[in-house]
Amino acid sequence: MLKQLPYKYDDTDVKSIISGLWTESYNAIAGCNKLISMVSEADPALFVENEMERDLVWGEALALRALFHFDILRMFAPSMEVNDGKSYIPYVDSYPVISTAYYSNADILKKIEADLLKAQKLVAKCDVEKHPVWMETEYRMFGKGLAGELPEEVFFAFRGFRMNYYAVTALLARVYMWEKEYKKAFDCADEVTKASNNKKTLFGFTETLSGDMKDCTNLIFSVNSETLLDDYKPFVTSGNDNLFLFNVEDIYEGSSEDQRGKVWVSNLGSLQYSKKYLLEESETGYDVIPVLRLSEMYYIMAEYYAQNGNFTEAGKMVDKVRSARGLISSSSNFSSMEDFRRKLLKEMRKEFVGEGQLYFQYKRFNDKSLSDNVKFVFDLPENEDI
């Protein structure tokens, strides 16, 4: 069993991993800051596509800086549900770093918001105003499309693997949920769900997961790894000490309708594992690691409705995902906010299995129902160098 699962946070190996997350994240932020300092002062004439290209690079760097800070905050500071007003992490926005001040949750979130709002405006020139077709699934995820509409340079292709306009907007929705700014989160999520080009919806759900296990139509932002299969395989191979296993009945509740419990899961003894990262090179999305999904946008909209006591509309949003995954014989219903949260987490377990997002949802609600030993705030590394 993986050491993190029994919550052995003091184990030497686990502490090393957590320390590495801190160090590598701030190293990545330093790279963003260096790029921002250069491109923000650059003459647009230096770029092939002039101002649009310069602003695209600038906006993506700002968005990545915000993304890295947000994930550091989610790991090393308490959620807003139990926020104590103390300062937990630095927000580094200069290169080189001269000094680092630590800020409170609220201050960090405002800085993240500012970066993302600026990034939105900068990348919109490409993704919304000039080349919205590049955000369609074939262009965004596979670099395919009509010859006359494909980018001439590979640099502009595969927008689904870059901080595109809708990735920035979806990340803003996630940040606003963390901040408990539910209406702002709803507005951002709603924009993503309605995004279209020439009346063609940009994001949706695949009809069958068996042909596209990652559901690339659903993906707003992803990263890729050519070694994903080799990196993941040891954790689902019998005989190894550290295995990523779960009980499929606990997650998919024995449903005969749910595609996910059939397509995404395989057996290892009496337990199961996710097959999302066991795709061969010839299979669709074999190297894709999901970061932001359309499904999350519907969950965010559902929570906004629930926070306002409209459980009927909340159920409709949750059922957008459920029905797309095959669950059509029953509808979602909620009797209270507590009931909504409990059921929403169950739905998220089904949709996000293996994607690294569920922990943060439990943390956001300060819900320790999976284990009393879970630790929602990682200890700062002994060496906090940035």
Side-chain angles (χ1 to χ4, degrees):
M1 185 64 70
L2 191 69
K3 291 177 179 176
Q4 285 90 330
L5 295 187
Y7 311 104
K8 295 183 178 180
Y9 299 100
D10 292 328
D11 181 271
T12 301
D13 291 341
V14 176
K15 290 175 73 174
S16 176
I17 292 170
I18 293 173
S19 178
L21 289 170
W22 173 280
T23 302
E24 291 175 22
S25 295
Y26 277 112
N27 283 342
I29 288 168
C32 291
N33 286 335
K34 184 176 183 180
L35 180 57
I36 291 166
S37 69
M38 296 171 66
V39 75
S40 61
E41 301 294 330
D43 184 344
L46 295 173
F47 299 84
V48 174
E49 293 292 336
N50 302 308
E51 185 177 65
M52 186 201 80
E53 184 174 349
R54 183 202 64 178
D55 288 355
L56 191 67
V57 175
W58 187 359
E60 288 184 16
L62 283 169
L64 285 172
R65 182 170 78 184
L67 172 64
F68 293 135
H69 277 108
F70 183 54
D71 276 350
I72 296 169
L73 184 77
R74 293 200 296 175
M75 289 184 283
F76 293 96
S79 72
M80 297 303 283
E81 191 77 8
V82 292
N83 183 39
D84 55 12
K86 295 180 180 178
S87 298
Y88 282 89
I89 71 166
Y91 199 92
V92 184
D93 56 6
S94 62
Y95 185 89
V97 178
I98 299 172
S99 63
T100 53
Y102 282 60
Y103 295 94
S104 68
N105 270 1
D107 288 340
I108 292 288
L109 287 167
K110 291 302 178 189
K111 290 177 179 291
I112 290 170
E113 179 188 17
D115 272 352
L116 291 176
L117 289 173
K118 186 171 183 178
Q120 248 189 337
K121 294 178 181 178
L122 290 167
V123 301
K125 295 174 184 178
C126 174
D127 297 330
V128 179
E129 298 168 19
K130 291 195 69 174
H131 300 289
V133 69
W134 294 351
M135 289 305 306
E136 292 180 10
T137 301
E138 286 298 303
Y139 297 83
R140 179 180 83 247
M141 299 303 299
F142 306 116
K144 300 177 182 178
L146 297 175
E149 294 179 337
L150 283 169
E152 293 183 8
E153 300 288 338
V154 174
F155 176 80
F156 295 105
F158 299 97
R159 297 295 297 146
F161 297 90
R162 304 273 290 274
M163 288 303 291
N164 63 74
Y165 174 84
Y166 297 103
V168 176
T169 305
L171 180 56
L172 261 173
R174 183 184 283 178
V175 169
Y176 283 137
M177 286 305 291
W178 195 265
E179 197 175 5
K180 305 179 84 169
E181 291 279 1
Y182 302 112
K183 181 59 168 67
K184 290 181 179 180
F186 176 91
D187 289 342
C188 289
D190 188 45
E191 180 179 358
V192 175
T193 64
K194 293 176 178 175
S196 65
N197 178 53
N198 289 331
K199 298 183 179 180
K200 182 178 180 179
T201 303
L202 297 181
F203 309 101
F205 296 89
T206 185
E207 290 185 8
T208 171
L209 289 171
S210 59
D212 181 6
M213 193 175 293
K214 306 282 180 67
D215 191 357
C216 292
T217 304
N218 197 255
L219 296 177
I220 305 165
F221 173 57
S222 304
V223 294
N224 73 302
S225 171
E226 293 291 335
T227 62
L228 182 57
L229 175 60
D230 291 336
D231 292 341
Y232 182 68
K233 192 178 289 185
F235 296 103
V236 293
T237 300
S238 180
N240 288 335
D241 292 333
N242 300 328
L243 299 174
F244 290 154
L245 301 177
F246 53 81
N247 187 322
V248 69
E249 296 295 326
D250 289 346
I251 298 178
Y252 295 106
E253 304 173 295
S255 171
S256 61
E257 295 180 320
D258 199 327
Q259 289 188 61
R260 297 167 296 190
K262 302 172 185 177
V263 178
W264 285 351
V265 174
S266 192
N267 297 315
L268 185 61
S270 61
L271 293 174
Q272 289 75 39
Y273 59 86
S274 169
K275 297 194 297 182
K276 283 185 183 178
Y277 304 116
L278 289 177
L279 302 179
E280 297 293 339
E281 188 171 343
S282 60
E283 296 180 271
T284 300
Y286 78 96
D287 60 347
V288 173
I289 303 172
V291 179
L292 286 159
R293 283 192 175 277
L294 177 69
S295 311
E296 183 178 351
M297 300 300 103
Y298 283 116
Y299 294 148
I300 285 171
M301 294 169 72
E303 189 168 342
Y304 164 76
Y305 283 124
Q307 288 287 347
N308 286 277
N310 191 340
F311 295 117
T312 300
E313 287 300 316
K316 290 178 181 178
M317 294 299 102
V318 172
D319 286 343
K320 291 278 189 180
V321 183
R322 285 173 56 84
S323 62
R325 300 308 187 204
L327 291 161
I328 57 175
S329 63
S330 61
S331 300
S332 299
N333 59 83
F334 313 107
S335 58
S336 65
M337 193 64 208
E338 181 180 355
D339 184 48
F340 170 81
R341 284 186 171 186
R342 180 176 59 82
K343 291 178 179 176
L344 180 66
L345 285 171
K346 291 177 85 171
E347 293 302 321
M348 288 177 166
R349 286 188 77 190
K350 296 170 186 175
E351 184 71 4
F352 299 145
V353 63
E355 295 185 8
Q357 293 303 323
L358 191 64
Y359 167 84
F360 296 112
Q361 300 298 336
Y362 277 92
K363 175 173 178 173
R364 188 166 63 84
F365 292 146
N366 195 38
D367 184 326
K368 295 187 176 183
S369 58
L370 289 182
S371 173
D372 290 334
N373 296 322
V374 67
K375 190 172 187 175
F376 283 149
V377 181
F378 294 162
D379 293 334
L380 293 179
E382 294 174 4
N383 182 351
E384 297 174 39
D385 285 349
I386 294 175

